[in-house]
Amino acid sequence: MTPTMQSTNNPRPVWLDDKTKSIMDRAIAREQSLSRLLMTYIVTGLIFMLLPGTFLGVWNLIKISGREAADSISPAWIQAHGHAQLFGWVGTFILGIGFYSIPKLRKLKPFALWSAWLTWALWVAGVTLRWFSNIYPWHWRIALPLSATLELVAFLIFFQSVATHRSSGPAKPFEPWIFVVIAATVGLLASLVLNLGASFQLALNADSPAFPHLFDQRYLIVSTWGFIVPMIWGFSARWLQVFMGLRPLRKSLLPFALAFNTLGVIVAFLDYFLLGGILLLAGAAIAVAAIRFFEPAAKPAKIINVHRSFPVFIRIAYAWMLIAAALGIWAARVREAPGIWGASRHALTVGFIAAMIFCVGQRILPSFCGMRVLWSPKLMFIMLFLLMTGCTLRVASEILAYQNYAAWAWYILPISALIELTAVALFAVNLIVTFAGPPVVVPSPLTMTTE
Ligand code: HEM
């Protein structure tokens, strides 16, 4: 018999026989390996977010504003920024969190850790190669399809690892949020397959690595509304009930939200943007009603270790999602609408997606990454405030400037970009300093959780 300390919260020694202790040691070692893996995915995502993603986005916007013309920079550079943000940042975060949490939430048998490291290596190589082939079109005819192939193979290994492993106990019926996450995963697969097809097509027939404008518009709807948005809904339905003290999920509504959203993505991809936009707005409104964000909470929010404004910013983020869908309908009704499309896209990507990652990421990642506590909840508030301010200025002035409604709005755009850049940089600092600090709880099977 060996005395074991369970956690620093419970310092009394517990007497365990050697067999139990060895099982616990293995569980702790696996948890530590999973935390290291997740931290690697998150830090990689932060690097994509900062340099190839946001910094390039700011650079592009400053150039566009200086020339006062939306189409004055290379579409390949704009697409390099978009791909780095959606797949380099958000995609890497989602793969890492998926590896860490899905097997635990579904009580699946553990997967081999090497498959997660292989996925990471292939994914990072694919997304990096894609960025370089858009920015420096050196041998792009090989680099572009190769990057798309690497991304797809990485995804297939991920899928094989977390989705096809059998449950370690009796099979649990699927909860509604799982269907939403499955639909989002199918959206990711569809995005990667479209990316692969288009990359080969360009390599064989085109003279630039940039997707043609119309295809790019349709493709972006699949990779945002078809992949990232339902992924956020799924994890919101799973975690935010508890974190925000919301009333119980309206389980019967969630499938309708998903059905409208999926139909909207398909219809918009087939080039019927107006009908697609209406369906996406309907799906988004039903999702909000299902998860009950704007109803009085049933319990106090669990805001320990995060800033107390957390539930407010989640609600603002969901409001941005509705605004993004409404702007999409407006854009589809106007003949020439680069400013309204751009505003709709950034209302979704910055106002909703980035804000949700800032809120939920800082709530869950410190504990997933080795039982840590967020370095600075105050900084969390400052960055969310800056993000929302930058997003409001950006969305409003993009419409005014790009659509030629008000020339002064061109001067606001670079300011909005710098505010957003500051917010994004503070998010990275807060997480990296958190990861660099020591764990507050010694990992043990009693403290290992996915909440
Ligand atoms: C500092 C923050 C950001 C700035 C300054 C910025 C800037 C830009 C600019 C100038 C464009 C070109 C089209 C347009 O003018 O609307 C663009 C497109 C885009 N951005 Fe951003 N962006 C930022 C943040 C983000 C974030 C956080 C995401 C995603 C999570 C994102 C995703 C995209 C996508 C998908 C496109 C379209 C790319 C394409 O046409 O293929 N951006 N961004």
Side-chain angles (χ1 to χ4, degrees):
M1 298 277 256
T2 324
T4 300
M5 292 295 234
Q6 297 291 355
S7 81
T8 52
N9 294 341
N10 176 16
R12 274 182 306 157
V14 178
W15 292 91
L16 301 171
D17 63 59
D18 287 345
K19 191 171 164 217
T20 313
K21 184 166 181 302
S22 128
I23 293 172
M24 282 181 66
D25 284 347
R26 263 184 282 139
I28 292 169
R30 175 150 182 108
E31 178 62 21
Q32 285 171 334
S33 307
L34 277 176
S35 293
R36 266 195 301 276
L37 177 82
L38 178 57
M39 264 193 276
T40 309
Y41 270 85
I42 298 302
V43 173
T44 310
L46 291 177
I47 294 170
F48 277 120
M49 173 195 77
L50 279 175
L51 295 173
T54 306
F55 189 76
L56 181 61
V58 173
W59 179 262
N60 286 341
L61 192 57
I62 289 175
K63 278 190 150 179
I64 290 175
S65 311
R67 295 170 188 170
E68 301 198 358
D71 54 1
S72 60
I73 56 167
S74 148
W77 278 49
I78 293 177
Q79 292 174 22
H81 154 77
H83 197 87
Q85 295 286 43
L86 297 182
F87 295 91
W89 171 27
V90 184
T92 310
F93 267 40
I94 288 175
L95 292 179
I97 294 172
F99 269 123
Y100 181 86
S101 67
I102 291 176
K104 292 182 183 199
L105 291 168
R106 293 284 305 133
K107 301 204 178 349
L108 303 179
K109 282 192 181 148
F111 58 86
L113 282 173
W114 64 261
S115 62
W117 286 110
L118 182 61
T119 301
W120 175 84
L122 295 175
W123 184 258
V124 171
V127 181
T128 309
L129 199 56
R130 166 60 175 270
W131 193 82
F132 277 103
S133 62
N134 274 6
I135 298 291
Y136 308 104
W138 184 71
H139 290 300
W140 68 268
R141 284 177 202 283
I142 296 170
L144 192 68
L146 178 61
S147 77
T149 310
L150 288 170
E151 289 176 11
L152 183 60
V153 173
F155 168 79
L156 293 175
I157 299 171
F158 164 80
F159 186 77
Q160 206 277 335
S161 307
V162 303
T164 59
H165 272 63
R166 306 252 311 273
S167 163
S168 51
K172 265 177 62 178
F174 277 7
E175 292 170 50
W177 69 269
I178 295 181
F179 287 108
V180 186
V181 170
I182 291 173
T185 311
V186 173
L188 171 57
L189 176 62
S191 306
L192 295 174
V193 170
L194 286 171
N195 182 39
L196 184 69
S199 300
F200 271 101
Q201 165 73 11
L202 289 183
L204 293 174
N205 302 314
D207 48 18
S208 143
F211 289 171
H213 176 66
L214 184 59
F215 174 78
D216 190 44
Q217 291 266 91
R218 294 155 54 210
Y219 167 72
L220 285 175
I221 292 191
V222 179
S223 50
T224 51
W225 288 96
F227 154 43
I228 301 176
V229 168
M231 191 64 84
I232 294 179
W233 292 355
F235 284 105
S236 295
R238 174 64 181 79
W239 280 318
L240 292 184
Q241 300 294 312
V242 180
F243 293 171
M244 293 175 69
L246 299 176
R247 284 160 190 254
L249 181 73
R250 290 202 177 94
K251 291 186 180 172
S252 57
L253 277 191
L254 208 54
F256 283 102
L258 192 58
F260 272 95
N261 187 66
T262 310
L263 210 59
V265 171
I266 295 170
V267 168
F269 184 74
L270 295 176
D271 216 0
Y272 298 100
F273 286 117
L274 182 57
L275 179 58
I278 294 170
L279 290 166
L280 292 178
L281 180 59
I286 299 172
V288 166
I291 309 179
R292 310 178 82 165
F293 287 107
F294 296 108
E295 296 179 33
K299 293 183 199 153
K302 289 197 173 176
I303 46 173
I304 185 154
N305 300 329
V306 285
H307 195 270
R308 62 178 185 281
S309 59
F310 167 85
V312 176
F313 281 109
I314 298 266
R315 290 188 171 97
I316 299 177
Y318 268 87
W320 273 117
M321 175 187 70
L322 297 172
I323 293 172
L327 286 173
I329 297 175
W330 181 21
R333 286 175 55 93
V334 177
R335 258 177 86 82
E336 281 293 311
I340 311 172
W341 278 122
S344 165
R345 193 167 302 134
H346 280 85
L348 189 71
T349 55
V350 180
F352 178 57
I353 297 173
M356 285 302 291
I357 297 177
F358 280 22
C359 288
V360 180
Q362 291 179 101
R363 174 69 179 74
I364 59 169
L365 290 174
S367 66
F368 285 8
C369 293
M371 299 293 165
R372 289 175 163 81
V373 167
L374 185 66
W375 178 53
S376 172
K378 199 166 165 194
L379 200 59
M380 174 178 179
F381 169 75
I382 295 172
M383 82 191 56
L384 278 162
F385 180 77
L386 289 176
L387 189 79
M388 291 310 182
T389 309
C391 182
T392 309
L393 290 176
R394 168 76 190 275
V395 170
S397 51
E398 182 153 2
I399 298 173
L400 294 173
Y402 287 28
Q403 296 298 120
N404 294 323
Y405 295 148
W408 54 262
W410 287 112
Y411 299 103
I412 309 290
L413 281 169
I415 300 173
S416 74
L418 293 174
I419 296 176
E420 288 174 348
L421 176 65
T422 311
V424 161
L426 292 179
F427 171 65
V429 168
N430 213 9
L431 276 188
I432 288 170
V433 177
T434 302
F435 294 163
V440 286
V441 178
V442 178
S444 89
L446 299 183
T447 60
M448 291 178 324
T449 174
T450 54
E451 308 243 12

